[in-house]
Amino acid sequence: MKNLFKLFVFFSISLLFVYSCTQKEQSSQPGYVIVIHGGAGNASNKDINEEQQMIYKEKLGEALAIGEKILSEGGTSIEAIEKTINYLENCPLFNAGKGAVFTHEGTNEMDASIMDGSNLNAGAVAGVGDIKNPISAAIKVMNESEHVMLAGKGASDFAKQQGIEIVDSSYFRTQERWESLQRILKAEKHGTVGCVALDKNGNLAAGTSTGGRTNKKYGRIGDSPIIGAGNYANNNTCAVSATGHGEFFIRYTVAHDISALMEYKNLSLEDAANIVVNKKLVEAGGDGGIIAVDKNGNIAMPFNTNMMFRAYSKSTGEKEILIFK
Ligand code: ASP
């Protein structure tokens, strides 16, 4: 009888243990998160009228849907970022790929970078003028070369060798961007694109692609291809993609600073991102914003300008597409 009781207790405890383990697995059931941006700036909602806002939102929504589909089917964060950014690069509304802004000399020079938070691998291209989708070239640099950043003609030669599509430089020329150079806009036009994602395997990644700043000179490179400045991902903390006045983002190592505040000070993503964007950058005079997702799927999208094109979607069903505050 005593032994039977012991057996009963043993089985009950075992059952409870198995149940609690499966519950744990269920509650930490991996989900996915994707966040995108299409640049930050000081345009007001008079500068971008309602009809234009609708078009921007439609394009952001379409880009988001591409990444969502990949992540929901179990694709990696890198795959989702590449295809989502490719869509934005091919859309002339944004300052990346087709639609890239013009340099002082009237050319288009693009920068892009990618970082894999699972192993801290990274790749970037800078100052490229003939690669149709710079983010795809950055991924090739990460996966197929022993380097992190390739620039100019060398980057194009490498991309071509890797089977990346090369186009005539006239492909990037859009009338609106040309006029924007001619006017040398008082309010600088932004429109860099970026994407951060957490996939079902819990891997974070970040990607950023840009034409840089209108009227840039002397081969100027911004923060977007610089790991730690305009782009950063680390599975232990978060994935960040930035947009704004690149010189400040480089000097304040913005993307890595957010990750470091989480790692060393144990701050939440929201607090870390706010300190960097709304305090440090504001005090320094650096315009812009960031999008970020942490390892638990929390997101942050702070910006210190009037607007930032941004959108996110989570496997929980939460989704928003926003422009102004
Ligand atoms: N950060 C980019 C650069 O400085 C531009 C932007 O995001 O608008 O090149």
Side-chain angles (χ1 to χ4, degrees):
M1 192 65 192
K2 214 171 172 190
N3 272 351
L4 213 66
F5 180 69
K6 268 190 188 159
L7 213 65
F8 174 75
V9 172
F10 175 76
F11 270 120
S12 309
I13 291 175
S14 307
L15 265 175
L16 257 169
F17 179 73
V18 170
Y19 177 74
S20 75
C21 281
T22 54
Q23 280 304 97
K24 219 175 187 177
E25 254 170 37
Q26 263 169 24
S27 64
S28 61
Q29 190 80 25
Y32 66 83
V33 177
I34 178 165
V35 193
I36 61 173
H37 73 71
N42 279 320
S44 72
N45 54 6
K46 282 191 203 105
D47 301 317
I48 310 173
N49 66 34
E50 258 173 43
E51 195 194 329
Q52 289 166 321
Q53 289 180 37
M54 268 184 39
I55 297 170
Y56 272 108
K57 283 186 174 174
E58 192 185 303
K59 298 294 169 200
L60 289 169
E62 284 167 12
L64 199 65
I66 293 170
E68 268 181 293
K69 183 166 186 291
I70 293 170
L71 292 171
S72 69
E73 288 170 357
T76 67
S77 45
I78 298 281
E79 285 162 357
I81 288 170
E82 177 176 18
K83 299 296 178 237
T84 304
I85 291 188
N86 283 166
Y87 179 86
L88 294 166
E89 286 174 333
N90 295 344
C91 172
L93 287 181
F94 300 98
N95 173 20
K98 188 161 182 69
V101 295
F102 285 91
T103 64
H104 184 70
E105 294 77 24
T107 57
N108 305 99
E109 292 175 6
M110 293 155 289
D111 307 327
S113 67
I114 185 89
M115 187 163 188
D116 183 339
S118 69
N119 51 19
L120 306 192
N121 270 349
V125 292
V128 294
D130 57 1
I131 297 177
K132 186 179 178 201
N133 293 109
I135 194 72
S136 299
I139 292 172
K140 286 285 186 195
V141 174
M142 173 171 79
N143 293 334
E144 309 297 336
S145 86
E146 57 194 26
H147 308 295
V148 168
M149 192 193 290
L150 299 179
K153 189 178 175 304
S156 295
D157 290 347
F158 171 78
K160 196 171 175 183
Q161 207 185 80
Q162 293 295 324
I164 294 283
E165 191 172 347
I166 302 292
V167 290
D168 188 82
S169 55
S170 61
Y171 166 82
F172 301 104
R173 192 187 172 100
T174 58
Q175 196 57 29
E176 201 205 337
R177 296 307 192 193
W178 178 249
E179 281 163 15
S180 126
L181 172 69
Q182 306 314 310
R183 288 197 304 272
I184 308 180
L185 286 177
K186 277 185 222 122
E188 179 73 36
K189 195 161 203 161
H190 297 279
T192 293
V193 305
C195 179
V196 295
L198 170 70
D199 64 28
K200 284 183 171 181
N201 291 319
N203 288 324
L204 292 170
T208 308
S209 183
T210 188
R213 311 258 301 170
T214 301
N215 198 32
K216 63 185 181 181
K217 294 178 194 162
Y218 310 123
R220 178 263 188 194
I221 305 287
D223 60 312
S224 308
I226 299 181
I227 300 305
N231 205 62
Y232 191 73
N234 185 336
N235 271 12
N236 293 328
T237 53
C238 62
V240 181
S241 168
T243 175
H245 195 155
E247 280 67 12
F248 288 87
F249 284 68
I250 296 172
R251 288 165 52 220
Y252 286 80
T253 53
V254 163
H256 182 260
D257 199 20
I258 294 170
S259 166
L261 283 170
M262 293 178 71
E263 188 170 356
Y264 304 141
K265 277 194 138 185
N266 239 336
L267 294 191
S268 68
L269 173 66
E270 199 186 345
D271 288 349
N274 259 324
I275 287 175
V276 176
V277 174
N278 288 319
K279 194 167 184 294
K280 290 189 179 189
L281 277 179
V282 167
E283 281 166 13
D287 277 359
I290 64 104
I291 52 165
V293 56
D294 72 13
K295 57 181 179 178
N296 299 315
N298 299 306
I299 64 163
M301 307 186 290
F303 53 100
N304 60 33
T305 45
N306 281 348
M307 50 72 70
M308 180 167 79
F309 295 112
R310 62 202 187 280
Y312 69 88
S313 168
K314 298 186 177 195
S315 49
T316 54
E318 294 160 82
K319 186 173 178 163
E320 267 185 300
I321 304 175
L322 302 157
I323 300 178
F324 295 97
K325 285 206 163 117

